[in-house]
Each structure stands twice: as C-alpha cells, then as structure tokens.
Amino acid sequence: MKTFNIAIIGCGNVGGGTAKILQEAARELKKRAGGKEIKIKKIITLHPRRQAGRYGLPIELFCSCKEEISALQSDAFIKEALKDPEIDLIIETIGGSSGRIHNLHKSILKSGKHLVTANKAVLAKHGSSIFDYAKKQKKSVGFEGAVCGAIPLIKVVQDSFTGDLINSVAGIVNGTSNFILSRMSDKGAGFGEALKLAQKLGYAELDPSMDINGTDAANKLKILIQLIYGIPATEQGFEVKGITNVSKEDFMVAKSLNSTIKLIAFAKKEGGKVYACVQPAVISKQDYLYNVNGATNAIKLDAKYSGGHLFVGQGAGSIETGSAVVSDVVFIAKHGYIKDITQSAGPVKHSLADFNLYPASYLLIIKTKDTPGVIGAVGTAIGDVGVNIENVAQSIISGDGWYLPVEVSKCAAKQLDKAVALIKKRKPKLIEEYKYIPIFK
Ligand code: HSE
C-alpha cells in the first residue's frame, strides 16, 4: 500500500506536537488511514536541532541538522517540498495571518498537495477563498485544530449535526483569557497581576494582545458561524470586547450575585438573523461554564431537535492541538478529501444582526458617589426608556469608588445607552464610570 507522505512547515508548539503524535502513534494511525503509512518526509523550521530536541524527534526528519537556518534557506526548503511529487499533504503550523501565509496556503494547493492547518487567524481573515481555491485544485483543507484546539468541534458540527439545526453556540474559546479571569475570580487578583502570572506560567504569549483583546476568540467564532450559519467569515463584523477592562470590582459585584465573569463567544439565530459577539459576560453558579477554569475551553451548542450539547477540553497545547491536526491528516490519507468550510450550513444563508439590538439581560455597574437620590435617578432613567429592573444589588465600596449594580430584564444594549444618556443629562456629575455586562443564562 502506498505511503502517504507529508511535510510540516513550522515546528513550534502545534507543529512539534503534531510531529510527535505522527511518530509515536504511527502504527495505530496506519490502521486508521486504511493501511496507508503516514510518513513525515520533511519538517521545515528555522531551528531544526533545538526543535528536534524539544519534541523528542529524530533530527533526520528535519530539513537540516543545524542549530539554526536562515529565512532564505527555509524558503528554499519550502520550495523543494512544494516541488516534491512524493509529498501528498503539507501541514502549515507557522501561524499568523499575513499575506505570506495565505500565499503559502495557495502554493501548497497549487502544487497539488492537501493542506492542513490550525491557523484560525488566516482562515478567519480570508474566509471561503482558500476553500474555493482548494476546490479548483481538487484538493482539501483540514482545519480541525483551528477552533478550540483538541476539542473535536469541526467534524462534529459538519457531520454529526446534519440531522439538526443549531440554534446557538456559546462558550469559552480562549484559554489565556479564561486563565486570567479565573485567577481574578478565585484570588481577587487585578487584571495586570493575573496577566503577569499567565505569562510566567506560559499560558499567555509575550505579546498576549490577540488573546486579551478578544481577537483570537473572534476568529474562532467566525469560523464556527461560517460553518453553522453559512455567513462567510470575511462578511462578519460583530462586536468584540476583550477582558482588559474587567476589574476587581466587577468580580466583587458578580460574586455578590452568585456569579462570575467569563469571556464568552456567542452566536444565536433568532428570527432568521444571527446575533453574535465576543465579550465578558456574567455567568451564574448554576451554569456549567461557571466551573470551567484555567486554560480549559467549553462550548455549548443548542440544537432545535436534539437540545443542548456541551463540549469541554483543552483549547490549546502542543500535543492537544496536535491531535486535532493529526485527525485531519488521517482522514485525508484515508478518504482522499475532507469537507470544506462551506459544506455544513446547507443552502440557507443567514445574515448577521447588530448584537446591541439583541434582547439580553444585563448587569449595569455604575461607579458613582454614595449620595441621596442616586438610586432614584438611575432607576427613573431606566424605567423611562422602558427597561425593567430586576434587582438593585448590594453596592460595593472599593478604593475611591462606590459601585452600584443594577440587574435589568431582557433589553437591547441600545436602550441602556439611552438610559445612561438620560442620567447624564439630568445629573451630569452622577456617573463617574459605567459598564453593562450581558448575563448569559
Ligand atoms: N492562545 C489561544 C488560547 C490558543 O489561549 O486559547 C490558540 O488559539
């Protein structure tokens, strides 16, 4: 039986873990690939010797046995791999969303090889285009590792829900921010302190911006929305808020309401429209997501016929994400193709709506002074815009601030904007700061 040869471009965290599994589990994988031996023909990285040592891989698998090669040499090895007629599939695990990576994806497909990647940033940026290009070249693009690392979500959404309609998807899809928020919640740490610890323990990158500003979570949500609702990732402009503004005081308030705060990626179909956002949300103790701590990811899918489903697992990590990448390689080796991003939503294309119009319950936190008439002024303005107050919780005193938490029944965030504008007009000095956080029940 023919060998199925692959090359791996980029041997960092995910590439290294992928290569390790392909080596370690080779016999099992051969059985699963219908008897085809999956062989690593070349691993291309700028640091061959170091990465071989780090992942326990034979140096012979690498493009060079040197400690370091130049970018130019690496490009030459990539060209060689593209030209090699024996290579059937190339795994891109360099990362990043630059034009260079998108062009590399195209070159891989143009050279007649399948592509497997865990690179959510480039897939979200270019949407269907790489999949359309793959179709033209009669090749496939596997991307199971791109959304929530090890959690087998892509194939499940594509294949296991074909008999159902997914109403909503909501969950924790970024481990770094979840680690930081868990630390703030459990230890009362401030954002900066929790971020430093995440960096020290290797959860957060030296430049953690994509994780903490919500971009990474948004990229994953875009891929899921395209899969589930057929809206191309390139046409999705939804609200993305990161965790940098979540404060100690927010957690104090949440705690007093038997809740915590998590960064939630959310999409829900209602009346033919899809409302989506990535933002910190209040999660109550009764919700399963409440106990999802540290770097773990968890996704809740709600389907019309089968009801609720929960997927929990490691959303990042070397061999964890590697296992998802390998699953695509094995699938393609066995079947000669893998489904693309456009093949699960069916012909019904939905449109995206402004989340600020979505009726959600909110926790409004107003930083003000403890003076007579505050609650009255806030309550009257909220009532005047037709929003119902469910609960005015115990105020929090912290530092120089007095924080008033108000829970409101389902309303559009735009109505709360109006209420805040009214308060500011009537009592210009009353609000020092304010925020509203959706309560996802
Ligand atoms: N940096 C991501 C996280 C993993 O912290 O979950 C890769 O998307």
Side-chain angles (χ1 to χ4, degrees):
M1 177 104 26
K2 187 184 171 292
T3 303
F4 191 78
N5 290 309
I6 65 160
I8 302 176
I9 305 180
C11 189
N13 206 26
V14 178
T18 300
K20 194 176 160 71
I21 298 172
L22 286 168
Q23 283 295 101
E24 260 182 39
R27 276 181 58 191
E28 277 299 320
L29 299 179
K30 183 177 173 180
K31 265 193 256 163
R32 293 172 194 175
K36 272 187 205 157
E37 183 189 351
I38 300 172
K39 202 168 155 202
I40 302 176
K41 210 166 168 214
K42 195 78 75 195
I43 301 174
I44 302 166
T45 169
L46 294 173
H47 301 278
R49 187 158 289 282
R50 188 184 74 192
Q51 297 311 82
R54 186 167 287 168
Y55 296 103
L57 298 163
I59 190 70
E60 298 74 44
L61 293 179
F62 284 76
C63 56
S64 158
C65 53
K66 287 189 185 154
E67 191 57 40
E68 193 176 345
I69 61 167
S70 68
L72 231 84
Q73 284 169 311
S74 160
D75 284 347
F77 284 122
I78 293 173
K79 273 195 189 131
E80 210 176 275
L82 293 174
K83 277 195 200 141
D84 186 341
E86 287 187 353
I87 291 179
D88 301 289
L89 179 151
I90 295 185
I91 299 171
E92 176 274 305
T93 37
I94 301 173
S97 62
S98 67
R100 182 182 155 244
I101 297 296
H102 183 58
N103 287 336
L104 174 61
H105 284 184
K106 283 171 89 175
S107 305
I108 290 169
L109 297 163
K110 194 174 174 194
S111 67
K113 300 167 193 338
H114 299 286
L115 164 68
V116 171
T117 184
N119 187 336
K120 65 232 65 175
V122 77
L123 292 181
K125 188 168 171 186
H126 295 281
S128 312
S129 79
I130 199 66
F131 297 91
D132 293 340
Y133 191 75
K135 250 183 234 159
K136 271 195 211 146
Q137 304 299 327
K138 299 194 168 47
K139 293 290 150 191
S140 288
V141 182
F143 58 105
E144 182 66 70
V147 178
C148 297
I151 305 177
L153 211 51
I154 304 296
K155 291 185 193 69
V156 165
V157 168
Q158 283 185 317
D159 292 316
S160 306
F161 280 94
T162 43
D164 209 334
L165 300 168
I166 296 175
N167 291 325
S168 69
V169 46
I172 297 165
V173 301
N174 183 270
T176 305
S177 51
N178 199 46
F179 176 88
I180 293 170
L181 294 180
S182 302
R183 189 79 193 174
M184 290 174 78
S185 179
D186 297 347
K187 306 281 179 205
F191 174 77
E193 190 191 326
L195 170 62
K196 268 195 197 130
L197 182 73
Q199 282 172 317
K200 193 174 151 203
L201 297 178
Y203 290 111
E205 309 275 345
L206 223 51
D207 176 6
S209 32
M210 299 263 289
D211 291 316
I212 61 175
N213 69 17
T215 308
D216 178 75
N219 286 338
K220 292 166 187 167
L221 183 62
K222 281 181 182 175
I223 294 173
L224 285 176
I225 290 176
Q226 176 151 8
L227 272 176
I228 297 170
Y229 303 116
I231 306 168
T234 43
E235 292 172 23
Q236 297 174 31
F238 51 77
E239 179 144 21
V240 179
K241 285 186 194 157
I243 61 167
T244 47
N245 288 327
V246 181
S247 67
K248 263 186 193 178
E249 289 78 19
D250 297 341
F251 277 104
M252 289 162 84
V253 170
K255 216 164 243 176
S256 74
L257 299 168
N258 272 327
S259 299
T260 190
I261 296 169
K262 301 277 186 192
L263 184 69
I264 299 295
F266 172 87
K268 184 169 186 183
K269 186 180 69 176
E270 237 175 64
K273 299 234 181 250
V274 177
Y275 295 90
C277 70
V278 168
Q279 59 176 310
V282 175
I283 300 292
S284 89
K285 251 186 191 159
Q286 278 81 47
D287 194 313
Y288 182 89
L289 297 181
Y290 182 94
N291 287 315
V292 176
N293 289 317
T296 305
N297 282 190
I299 293 275
K300 291 198 290 189
L301 288 182
D302 182 59
K304 183 171 178 183
Y305 303 113
S306 57
H309 303 261
L310 184 66
F311 301 88
V312 188
Q314 295 312 300
S318 176
I319 45 173
E320 293 86 348
T321 308
S323 73
V325 173
V326 171
S327 78
D328 281 343
V329 175
V330 173
F331 194 99
I332 295 172
K334 181 167 183 185
H335 301 287
Y337 81 98
I338 199 161
K339 273 191 179 172
D340 74 35
I341 205 165
T342 63
Q343 279 173 290
S344 51
V348 185
K349 188 180 153 187
H350 300 86
S351 61
L352 213 59
D354 181 359
F355 185 80
N356 287 315
L357 298 175
Y358 177 78
S361 302
Y362 281 95
L363 171 63
L364 175 64
I365 302 177
I366 297 176
K367 184 179 178 194
T368 178
K369 293 264 176 312
D370 184 9
T371 47
V374 171
I375 293 180
V378 170
T380 305
I382 292 174
D384 285 350
V385 299
V387 172
N388 185 46
I389 293 177
E390 275 190 12
N391 177 33
V392 177
Q394 179 66 47
S395 58
I396 299 284
I397 300 162
S398 171
D400 65 335
W402 190 78
Y403 297 82
L404 175 68
V406 183
E407 281 181 88
V408 298
S409 306
K410 283 189 176 177
C411 68
K414 288 219 160 137
Q415 283 171 275
L416 294 178
D417 288 338
K418 282 188 197 154
V420 167
L422 265 185
I423 301 168
K424 283 184 172 171
K425 197 170 147 205
R426 291 171 184 167
K427 303 236 175 203
K429 291 199 178 136
L430 191 141
I431 295 183
E432 289 176 29
E433 283 168 28
Y434 71 94
K435 61 176 73 157
Y436 15 94
I437 313 175
I439 305 170
F440 285 138
K441 287 179 183 158

